[in-house]
Every structure is written in structure tokens, then in C-alpha cells.
Amino acid sequence: MPISNSALQTYEENLRQTIQYFFNLEGQIENVIVHIDSSIKNYIQKKKGDFY
């Protein structure tokens, strides 16, 4: 039984939204990692300052 055109379009749209969601998620995770990285660097700088 052939798949209807509208079912295929719905599937394609859902797939597109899912992919977009994962790209957005990837961007958010990247921001979190950058934030954590910069926080760690700031912490290390402050600790170095304590020793001198």
C-alpha cells in the first residue's frame, strides 16, 4: 500500500523539526560548556592570585 503524500509531508516536517531541535540543543550545550570553561579559568586565575 503506497504512503499518502500528506503522510509523507507530515513525516518530513516532523523530521525537519527534530533535526532543528537537536541543532538548537547542540548550540545550548556548547554555550554551557563555554560558560563552565570560562568559570573554571576564572577560578584558576583567582586561585593563582591567592598564592602570590
Side-chain angles (χ1 to χ4, degrees):
M1 197 168 103
I3 302 170
S4 73
N5 223 17
S6 64
L8 208 54
Q9 284 173 342
T10 301
Y11 173 76
E12 188 181 13
E13 187 51 41
N14 288 344
L15 200 57
R16 196 187 320 275
Q17 286 175 2
T18 302
I19 291 168
Q20 191 59 52
Y21 170 80
F22 277 110
F23 273 118
N24 291 343
L25 196 60
E26 184 186 28
Q28 290 172 11
I29 290 169
E30 195 174 350
N31 288 341
V32 169
I33 290 171
V34 166
H35 180 74
I36 290 170
D37 185 59
S38 106
S39 295
I40 290 171
K41 284 177 180 159
N42 287 340
Y43 177 78
I44 290 171
Q45 284 304 111
K46 282 182 186 148
K47 282 292 166 198
K48 278 185 179 172
D50 291 346
F51 290 127
Y52 297 117

